[in-house]
Amino acid sequence: MDCYTANWNPLGDSAFYRKYELYSMDWDLKEELRDCLVAAAPYGGPIALLRNPWQKEKAASVRPVLEIYSASGMPLASLLWKSGPVVSLGWSAEEELLCVQEDGAVLVYGLHGDFRRHFSMGNEVLQNRVLDARIFHTEFGSGVAILTGAHRFTLSANVGDLKLRRMPEVPGLQSAPSCWTTLCQERAAQILVAVGPDLYLLDHAACSAVTPPGLAPGVSSFLQMAVSFTYRHLALFTDTGHIWMGTASLKEKLCEFNCNIRAPPKQMVWCSRPRSKERAIVVAWERRLMVVGDAPESIQFVLDEDSYLVPELDGVRIFSRSSHEFLHEVPVASEEIFKIASMAPGALLLEAQKEYEKESQKADEYLREIQELGQLTQAVQQCIEAAGHEHWPDMQKSLLRAASFGKCFLDRFPPDSFVRMCQDLRVLNAVRDYHIGIPLTYSQYKQMTIQVLLDRLVLRRLYPLAIQICEYLRLPEVQGVSRILAHWACYKVQQKDVSDEDVARAINQKLGDTPGVSYSDIAARAYGCGRTELAIKLLEYEPRSGEQVPLLLKMKRSKLALSKAIESGDTDLVFTVLLHLKNELNRGDFFMTLRNQPMALSLYRQFCKHQELETLKDLYNQDDNHQELGSFHIRASYAAEERIEGRVAALQMAADAFYKAKNEFAAKATEDQMRLLRLQRRLEDELGGQFLDLSLHDTVTTLILGGHNKRAEQLARDFRIPDKRLWWLKLTALADLEDWEELEKFSKSKKSPIGYLPFVEICMKQHNKYEAKKYASRVGPEQKVKALLLVGDVAQAADVAIERRNEAELSLVLSHCTGAADGATADKIQRARAQAQKK
Amino acid sequence: MAAHLSYGRVNLNVLREAVRRELREFLDKCAGSKAIVWDEYLTGPFGLIAQYSLLKEHEVEKMFTLKGNRLPAADVKNIIFFVRPRLELMDIIAENVLSEDRRGPARDFHILFVPRRSLLCEQRLKDLGVLGSFIHREEYSLDLIPFDGDLLSMESESAFKQVANMMIRMKREFTGSQNSVFPVFDNLLLLDRNVDLLTPLATQLTYEGLIDEIYGIQNSYVKLPPEKFAPKKQGDSGKDLPTEAKKLQLNSAEELYAEIRDKNFNAVGSVLSKKAKVISAAFEERHNAKTVGEIKQFVSQLPHMQAARGSLANHTSIAELIKDVTTSEDFFDKLTVEQEFMSGIDTDKVNSYVEDCIAQKHPLIKVLRLICLQSVCNSGLKQKVLDYYRREILQTYGYEHILTLYSLEKAGLLRPQAGGRNNYPTIRKTLRLWMDDVNEQNPTDISYVYSGYAPLSVRLAQLLSRPGWRSIEEVLRILPGPHFEERQPLPTGLQKKRQPGENRVTLIFFLGGVTYAEIAALRFLSQLEDGGTEYVIATTKLMNGTSWIESLMEKPV
């Protein structure tokens, strides 16, 4: 414990910096780091090394090797570089390695050295070659900035969505600038260039000269510049040995430090912690490392060997051939607790817990001291927080133990922060493990989120660990386990040496019906690798037909797609496949396919009904569906044809079809319709007026109304209109004409098949009581009462009803006895009723 | 706002709120002023979930109906098409978009498919070269529209069959993507309209059923002839009679309507007169109000009383309108014939009333309804009878109706008797479809909704809950279509303990439509004290015999 603060170095009055070892590297580096292009990804990411033979001798006969290691030095990939000379390496935010070639081509590799894709930075770059390149990260993704041989800059702010921007010319830039960097302000990427004593800021529109405020005089050149992790601060190293620190906007100066070294530093990076007021710069020369801040003194370290600095969110990682270290400002909580002679509540609590373990009464004293100040809650929080910032599990444990101890003396201390810290530390310790090699700090982990961490583990193919973490943290399956299993499956399908069956089986065994796993995504990946058969096998496991279909179509398994679509019951999907098939197959084959799929066929018919009438006909023809074919022609006779001849011809076809369908009734009816059409045409020619498209009934009516009784009779006979209806028809027509004479003649032509009540009714409807009465007398006894009441002869109606001794009729008549005149009648009925009851 | 939805055992207002939220979210996605171009069919259903004011709050300034040619001028930033996924409509939309004035201000187009996005439609838009013009293409799953506290409808004219299979599939597909939900329904009964073709053909005799039969209820609104609703004022000698149809919304938010909607119409009159007495008595109360406190109390009740009086006046007028129809001789004759058919009298002969209707050229739909009813009640008509009817129809109404006749045949409504056997009497007797002693005032059986006929569909539901279908297997075999039961195991954590006296809730889903009378019958069952089951009703479409036959009619030309 005494030596706990041994590696703490004060910088100024208020801050300590400490450096501790993350890993001892046992990578067998053949080269010196200084001979290599080096790229290390932030957030404890992988390290890429490429021996750079192009720097010294031209056209080296030996091809260099591109090597990728984890942060702990475990080899991840090694491949022979076969493309052109590389100027710069860098990692994207997705942990893809971007290799910028001299010709402006950027080759993208995965973490395991698998080639992903390549893109070009444009013709201008190709012509002028690449002089220097930087890969940088903004909130939009990873960008590439290039300095060409013509001393111009080209930039793409997001390699995922490649948009090249050529930056404006820098005045007076004739040779390579002494240093430059990319900035990101107000959501736009900019470039800061140092040309001799001048600084220029380039954005897509203009090039403007800038001067850092309060810069010590006498500067004739800037040797190095560094921008902070968050793009908020900028540091400049001048040839006078001064380090200027200020805001990236160059509007404000933070401090300046004279280090008295004029040699250009090898690397210069920011070392600051989020939410800390301290700003510091780490500067590295060949054998010297210096931490410089707003303090008269600096912290100096000696570098035993070639080292490389990796700026992080909350510190700097430093790796060399033999070790990998982390340098950062000691966080407040740790400082409070561990500072020598600290009386902070956390420090006391830690002490109390230690005494408690020693079974010493001092524990109580310390505890009482904290409680008296009312700082126990704060003490617990401090211990929890400090635990998060410790790299070594032993120290984490002892801090957490203290927190747990302190918690016992508190009422209602919410347990979440403690529990969550324990969980987070377990996850962190797991990924920091030497075999995994992701040395994340607590702040980095929180910034990165668990989702991204899981993605990174998946990228490293550490599926079991990722799943264990998900299960440990109880993440929802869709976000956690399912997603990882799906990734695993996607990786699995790329294993070309395993047979389709085995892969499919293995995947299904692991995934089973895990909710949220999309088999179709995995199948799509398999298809992407050229394994169509495997893809089909995998799709079998996909429960959602909707997901199977598009891929099957893409793989040209249209028929399978069709049956899947039908299974899904989603008509839209079926239509989609059908239209696809229709374009793919010739008509005959298409129809044959349909024939085997009744549901598809009926859907397609629906479609044709609205969209392609002719195809519909062909379909019916092929199926010998004469009934539908008949209906089709009927429809055509109304819709498509204008001329009578055409309509009759269509109807003839319909009739033929109906005969073939053995639908005698429809055939006959259609023939009748043809006959009627021709006849109506003749009537129009001979009599004028409008007959076409009237129904037979209406045609006869029209004839009667027009006084052509003979023709009407003839027509009724020809078409065998039943007598009853004919009588109704004539009755209605004659009443409409108010041709009472003809009506009477008609009524006497023979005995009415519909009785005479309708005559009465219709006369009354035309308000002709006189005529109505004529017929009332002829109405049969069953309906006589009704008829008499209709014509208003209540008295007689009563007589008839009494005679017929019909109770219902009596009531009916009674209900009509409303006027004063009907009083007598009503009495009569009552009497008759009474009599009837007596009997 | 929509309180009537939350009364039932299952709070359907949640559903309404959810669809409203979804609509708001979509509207907010399109920033700036908007005009909505409506597929006319959708305006009704949308009216049930969102008023214009809601749209207005989200910067909807104009509304148009979807038509060909150019869009009407509107100074808005966004044009949003609300459409069903129909190819015909896509053509119109494309026409709209293509004829858009290029020189005018640039506008953003969006499309909202109701209820589902369709690949086919998008393909069509692509073929027409306008797909790229749409910034947002989304779907709005307005599947089940809450109509009332216990009634949901999809309001779609055509629906799938074999839904059950699909639901079992869906269950597998969606596991995991949804959290376990505490079940609200204990049972789900899916009824395909094919099982019961009979019920919709008969004339509904409940109050609501008759309103629908006579005036047609559209999306819970009914349009009535205005004469009876004219404000009665002295000196106003009727010259200002409103000519526009009176539009009324009908749902159980209205207390009086909730009480009478499901009653047999013959029982409505007495309720109305009782209500009238109660209300006028309540108004008389004011004379008794002596103290300031009493007067205050009286005044505080005034709005409620006035609303009740307005509601009573409306329903009295409606009842008068309906009574005019139901007391007519023709209505009586038609009903007599219907009841004869349903009780199995003379279904195998040509009916002379139907004959007369044809001869007098009564509306074709009325004739078809009767003939179909006869056919269904006779398990199909004898060939001779069928041909006679068909010939009469073709000669009277025109040969083009041969297509309609054919589609009725395909639907099983009007067909020749197969195998010469009439199964209807067996079904009628076993399921007790015809009840001779009906109490219309205080019903004891669901048959009151048709004054004698107990709707087959509802009878099936009733028998399912007690004693179960095993007792009627014979009949189920005769009924069209397969039947099956599926038990869905619940995770133990979700099984709830039923409180004593708490009824089970059954969701009954009518595929292919349901009538108001059937709904009334189900509500009657829910209210039975010893029924043990409450029903929530969902359907693809609210229908009656007329709208049903209409949907099956084909009109060339």
Side-chain angles (χ1 to χ4, degrees), chain A residues 513 515 541 543-545 567 569-572 575-576 579 607 611 627-628 631 634-635 638 665-666 669 672-673 676 695-698 719-722 724-725 728 786, chain B residues 87 116-120 124 160 166 169 172-173 175-176 329 352 355-356 359-361 387-388 390-392 394-400 402-403 406 410 554 556-557:
Chain A
D513 276 345
Y541 297 118
R544 291 165 298 179
S545 312
E567 251 175 56
D570 180 342
T571 45
D572 190 51
F575 277 131
T576 310
L579 292 189
F607 171 77
Q611 303 289 328
Q627 174 66 39
E628 288 291 355
S631 298
I634 297 266
R635 243 170 252 128
Y638 284 96
F665 174 82
D672 280 353
Q673 163 72 340
L676 181 65
S695 73
L696 175 63
H697 192 91
D698 293 345
F719 283 88
R720 287 183 292 137
I721 292 180
K724 264 171 111 178
R725 182 150 59 82
W728 270 111
K786 219 169 164 188
Chain B
L87 288 179
R116 297 193 52 200
R117 244 173 112 158
S118 141
L119 288 169
L120 194 64
R124 169 59 67 100
F160 281 134
M166 236 164 272
R169 274 185 75 90
R172 192 183 151 211
E173 290 174 16
T175 39
E329 203 168 321
S352 66
E355 236 180 336
D356 288 353
Q360 294 172 67
K361 243 190 139 182
D387 284 354
Y388 178 78
R390 290 199 292 199
R391 219 171 94 86
E392 286 291 282
L394 292 183
Q395 287 197 351
T396 310
Y397 297 95
Y399 285 98
E400 64 271 24
I402 195 166
L403 298 174
Y406 180 55
K410 274 198 289 191
E554 196 171 339
V557 183

Side-chain angles (χ1 to χ4, degrees), chain B residues 199-411:
Chain B
T199 307
L201 293 169
T203 304
Q204 312 170 65
L205 294 177
T206 59
Y207 180 54
E208 189 170 35
L210 275 168
I211 299 179
D212 186 42
E213 291 281 347
I214 298 168
Y215 297 107
I217 299 175
Q218 294 288 334
N219 298 307
S220 87
Y221 282 92
V222 67
K223 282 184 185 162
L224 297 164
E227 296 81 14
K228 295 251 182 189
F229 296 94
K232 286 175 194 126
K233 277 184 195 157
Q234 275 89 25
D236 204 13
S237 56
K239 59 181 173 188
D240 292 333
L241 270 184
T243 46
E244 214 171 278
K246 169 99 176 168
K247 201 173 172 190
L248 280 177
Q249 189 174 19
L250 301 173
N251 59 41
S252 29
E254 196 182 340
E255 207 178 303
L256 176 62
Y257 187 63
E259 190 180 337
I260 56 173
R261 65 194 303 183
D262 298 324
K263 289 203 180 310
N264 187 295
F265 183 64
N266 288 334
V268 167
S270 59
V271 176
L272 289 178
S273 68
K274 237 181 272 166
K275 268 275 133 80
K277 274 178 208 144
V278 170
I279 289 176
S280 56
F283 273 98
E284 284 309 308
E285 284 278 303
R286 69 172 182 270
H287 299 302
N288 303 333
K290 296 271 158 43
T291 66
V292 177
E294 280 169 355
I295 294 175
K296 194 179 168 200
Q297 199 190 349
F298 176 80
V299 170
S300 71
Q301 284 169 350
L302 259 182
H304 180 244
M305 281 162 59
Q306 271 162 347
R309 188 159 67 175
S311 153
L312 179 70
N314 278 340
H315 286 290
T316 313
S317 305
I318 298 176
E320 277 172 27
L321 282 168
I322 292 177
K323 197 155 176 84
D324 289 349
V325 177
T326 52
T327 49
S328 75
E329 203 168 321
D330 190 56
F331 186 84
F332 179 77
D333 289 348
K334 182 179 79 169
L335 206 61
T336 313
V337 172
E338 276 183 16
Q339 302 208 332
E340 274 173 20
F341 286 157
M342 288 190 290
S343 49
I345 300 168
D346 285 346
T347 49
D348 56 346
K349 295 193 198 110
V350 172
N351 182 287
S352 66
Y353 174 73
V354 175
E355 236 180 336
D356 288 353
C357 285
I358 298 174
Q360 294 172 67
K361 243 190 139 182
H362 282 207
L364 177 59
I365 290 186
K366 174 186 170 185
V367 171
L368 288 174
R369 246 180 108 162
L370 282 169
I371 298 178
C372 289
L373 184 67
Q374 187 180 357
S375 166
V376 173
C377 289
N378 198 48
S379 302
L381 294 169
K382 281 188 179 152
Q383 192 68 47
K384 230 177 78 191
V385 177
L386 178 66
D387 284 354
Y388 178 78
Y389 278 141
R390 290 199 292 199
R391 219 171 94 86
E392 286 291 282
I393 289 170
L394 292 183
Q395 287 197 351
T396 310
Y397 297 95
Y399 285 98
E400 64 271 24
H401 294 292
I402 195 166
L403 298 174
T404 299
L405 293 176
Y406 180 55
S407 60
L408 289 174
E409 187 173 339
K410 274 198 289 191

Side-chain angles (χ1 to χ4, degrees), chain A residues 482-590:
Chain A
S482 305
R483 201 165 57 109
I484 290 156
L485 282 174
H487 277 293
W488 166 79
C490 288
Y491 169 59
K492 187 83 185 163
V493 298
Q494 293 167 26
Q495 293 179 344
K496 304 230 160 148
D497 45 340
V498 189
S499 78
D500 290 346
E501 281 82 19
D502 292 346
V503 173
R505 204 176 317 118
I507 289 178
N508 185 238
Q509 252 168 24
K510 271 253 161 54
L511 273 63
D513 276 345
T514 313
V517 169
S518 164
Y519 276 97
S520 54
D521 286 354
I522 304 167
R525 183 63 70 90
Y527 176 63
C529 303
R531 298 179 77 164
T532 313
E533 286 309 316
L534 175 58
I536 291 170
K537 284 202 172 65
L538 286 170
L539 275 182
E540 284 299 321
Y541 297 118
E542 172 64 62
R544 291 165 298 179
S545 312
E547 301 289 314
Q548 299 170 325
V549 172
L551 185 62
L552 284 171
L553 280 182
K554 212 162 130 197
M555 297 193 296
K556 304 222 180 317
R557 301 297 161 112
S558 316
K559 285 179 192 172
L560 192 57
L562 183 59
S563 50
K564 292 288 174 199
I566 290 168
E567 251 175 56
S568 78
D570 180 342
T571 45
D572 190 51
L573 213 52
V574 180
F575 277 131
T576 310
V577 181
L578 281 179
L579 292 189
H580 201 93
L581 272 174
K582 195 178 137 200
N583 293 334
E584 194 178 274
L585 301 174
N586 67 39
R587 214 173 165 82
D589 290 347
F590 177 54

Side-chain angles (χ1 to χ4, degrees), chain A residues 105-151:
Chain A
V106 180
L107 279 65
V108 184
Y109 286 87
L111 199 62
H112 296 275
D114 43 325
F115 177 73
R116 293 276 167 84
R117 61 185 196 279
H118 72 93
F119 56 88
S120 158
M121 291 300 287
N123 262 337
E124 200 262 332
V125 178
L126 178 66
Q127 275 164 20
N128 296 318
R129 319 305 282 176
V130 178
L131 212 59
D132 195 4
R134 298 277 157 83
I135 282 96
F136 59 98
H137 307 281
T138 67
E139 53 192 294
F140 314 111
S142 308
V144 179
I146 281 178
L147 171 64
T148 69
H151 309 301

